[in-house]
Each structure stands twice: as C-alpha cells, then as structure tokens.
Amino acid sequence: MFAPDRLTLGIFLPLRFYAGDMRVLAGQAELVEQIDRHDFAAVWVRDVPLFDPMFGDAGQVFDPFTYLAFLAARTKTVALVTGSAIFSLRHPLDLAKASATIDQLSGGRLVLGIASGDRPIEFPAYGLEHAERGERFAQAVAYFRQLMQAGRLAIDSPLGRFDDAEFLPKPATGAIPLIVTGSSGQSLAWIAEHSDGWLTYPDATHNTQGPQRLAEKIRAWRALIPDGGFRPHMTNEWLDLVDDPDHPRTPQQGGYVLRTGRKGLIALLEEWQAAGVNHAALGMQFSRRPAVEVIQELAEDVLPLFPTHQGPSTIAAAW
C-alpha cells in the first residue's frame, strides 16, 4: 500500500450512496472481490455510529470492524483500511481487540485510519463531551499503543488501568499502522511524532494552487518526524468518472465531488504523487455510472500507472 515517492490506489466504500434503502448495498462484497483481484492497494470503510439526517451522510452503514472481518474472508491481498475509526468514542481495549483480531485473521492486512470524530450528535450518545474529543483521542492512541506491546502489561491511563495482564491477540506483524486523519485535535508536531502516516483532504476547489499547498503541508509534516524516516501521506477524492476520457475536471457539489474523464483523473493523481502523496482513496458513491464499469475502467486504464507496491510492508518494518 505504501512506498516512498510512489502513489497507489484504493477504493472507498460504499460504492453507492445510501438513501434509506439497504438494497443499494447489495452486491457490494462481490465488487470488493473484483477490486482485490484487480490488485488495488486497499479498500476503505467508514465509521459512522449514528446517521444524523442533518449531516446528510450515513457513511458505509455497516459497523467497520464487523464488515472488514467479512471482507477479509472474501479477499486475499487487498489492504483493509478504516477511514476513519473514531478513537474518541470507543474504548482502546475494544478497538485493540477488534483490530488485532481482524489483522490476525486477514494475515496482517489491517490499516487503521483514526480520527477524533466530527459529528456532534454521537458524543452525548456515548456519554462523552464533544469538546473533549481531542484530548480523549490522544489518550486513546497512547493506550492502544501500550496494548500492542509484548508480554504482561501494566497500564495506568485516564481511560482505564490494569496491572500484570496480557493483551491478546497481538497483530500479525507486530504492529497495526495508525493513520491520523486531519488534525484530530492535535498539533502537527504531535501527528509527526505519534502517527504512522497522515490522511488529509485535497483542495476542494481543484485549482492550480491545490497541489502546491498540499506539497507544502506534506513537507512541513515530514520535517517534524523525529527519526526522519518514511511515513506515508494519503488523500481521497469522491469521483464521478464519466465515460468520455477527455472530459475536463469539473468540481461538483461545492467541490466535494470531482466529475472528470480518466485523463483528468490521471493528471490529478500525477500531481498528487509529485506533491508527496503515497496513496489515493477513490470513492464512487456519487458516480452516475454503474460501479462495476468505473472499477473496470480504473483497473484497465489508471491502475497500471500507479501499481500496488509488492513486497514487505514499509510501515510494519518501521514499527
């Protein structure tokens, strides 16, 4: 999924926008199997505990860990990624147990995109304060990291404590990468020190200055990484890929969705790669074409230009 100076492609779920009818998600797992066979680098699932009609987006509907376990059994090589697990809402023990289980069952394919949460309605539902999500996020990350250590542990955290117990199972490769989304209430220096990678969103206006600003942001973050080692940067795009390959890049819905032909998409991905992006997660839930057609075109005409990295995980080796 990650290699220095290279960009790989993943697919964001759901493949179709949920608007009150679960039948829209029928057949999605079979398409994920195709995504795996085509050798896309990753498939991403979102974490939205409650559908807030005022927010207008139910996410990918299913519980992310349950669904990733289901997809793990139906795929072979594709990385299984949360985009993003809300670390401020759930207890680190539960996050670690579910994550390490999926990682073991999938042969070490789990990558955790993590976030502090952006939907205020969810925090009182958990008995938590929305205003404290940044602090709780940092505490949850520290607790999670401690649980991944070998042997019997003693943990004393604001989120809980225990002494002389071992956490099981351990991840398949010794660690599960934690990819911080946005700021998650933290400073850039904190993200550089505590994350295994960084997911930020692209410039919604898609103007000529977007890639330059993105490159500056990535350089500033990487300059703060304590050991100077490689840490991947990711971004994503909601895509309406038209069948005319020459269709120009045209922002839709206030820049939230990009309508374009494949030549425009390839140019955008090349700009991101030059800016230092290592992985692009493409969502097609707003696409007007059938998902199977979009996946096939991406696989045949775009993916060969941004092939999945084959070899030992750079992240696992670093941690």
Side-chain angles (χ1 to χ4, degrees), residues 126-182:
Y126 279 87
L128 301 172
E129 294 293 332
H130 183 255
E132 298 174 1
R133 66 193 184 281
E135 180 182 10
R136 185 176 174 89
F137 175 84
Q139 294 167 348
V141 169
Y143 199 139
F144 186 98
R145 292 280 198 207
Q146 288 179 276
L147 289 169
M148 296 297 113
Q149 297 174 7
R152 294 183 178 180
L153 305 173
I155 294 180
D156 188 358
S157 163
L159 302 182
R161 59 190 59 85
F162 65 84
D163 186 47
D164 196 28
E166 185 173 1
F167 172 78
L168 295 173
K170 290 294 190 290
T173 59
I176 295 173
L178 300 183
I179 309 300
V180 173
T181 303

Side-chain angles (χ1 to χ4, degrees), residues 137-319:
F137 175 84
Q139 294 167 348
V141 169
Y143 199 139
F144 186 98
R145 292 280 198 207
Q146 288 179 276
L147 289 169
M148 296 297 113
Q149 297 174 7
R152 294 183 178 180
L153 305 173
I155 294 180
D156 188 358
S157 163
L159 302 182
R161 59 190 59 85
F162 65 84
D163 186 47
D164 196 28
E166 185 173 1
F167 172 78
L168 295 173
K170 290 294 190 290
T173 59
I176 295 173
L178 300 183
I179 309 300
V180 173
T181 303
S183 70
S184 291
Q186 313 306 313
S187 68
L188 194 61
W190 188 96
I191 297 170
E193 181 177 356
H194 295 281
S195 74
D196 299 322
W198 193 26
L199 169 65
T200 65
Y201 303 111
D203 188 328
T205 61
H206 295 284
N207 59 35
T208 57
Q209 299 302 312
Q212 178 181 340
R213 286 198 294 267
L214 183 60
E216 292 170 353
K217 180 165 59 176
I218 295 171
R219 282 196 297 268
W221 164 63
R222 287 189 167 137
L224 296 173
I225 295 172
D227 63 3
F230 170 67
R231 297 290 184 272
H233 179 275
M234 286 136 278
T235 194
N236 72 288
E237 185 68 79
W238 299 115
L239 187 66
D240 181 8
L241 188 69
V242 303
D243 54 8
D244 175 8
D246 295 306
H247 191 286
R249 284 188 267 179
T250 310
Q252 306 279 306
Q253 301 186 31
Y256 184 69
V257 178
L258 178 64
R259 182 170 171 81
T260 184
R262 69 169 177 268
K263 291 182 181 179
L265 173 62
I266 290 169
L268 175 64
L269 295 172
E270 289 172 341
E271 291 168 7
W272 283 352
Q273 184 170 250
V277 178
N278 303 108
H279 180 81
L282 304 177
M284 59 189 73
Q285 63 176 336
F286 299 103
S287 178
R288 303 174 206 185
R289 294 169 65 194
V292 64
E293 291 184 11
V294 176
I295 292 169
Q296 190 67 32
E297 182 173 354
L298 291 174
E300 291 180 357
D301 300 311
V302 182
L303 188 59
L305 303 175
F306 306 95
T308 298
H309 174 61
Q310 297 296 333
S313 168
T314 305
I315 294 296
W319 287 91

Side-chain angles (χ1 to χ4, degrees), residues 54-79:
M54 297 298 295
F55 214 94
D57 178 11
Q60 57 97 26
V61 181
F62 299 123
D63 172 77
F65 296 104
T66 305
Y67 195 48
L68 284 182
F70 175 73
L71 294 179
R74 302 187 63 153
T75 56
K76 295 180 179 179
T77 61
V78 70

Side-chain angles (χ1 to χ4, degrees), residues 83-99:
S84 296
I86 310 304
F87 261 44
S88 301
L89 293 178
R90 295 182 171 88
H91 195 277
L93 269 171
D94 298 325
L95 289 165
K97 196 76 172 183
S99 301

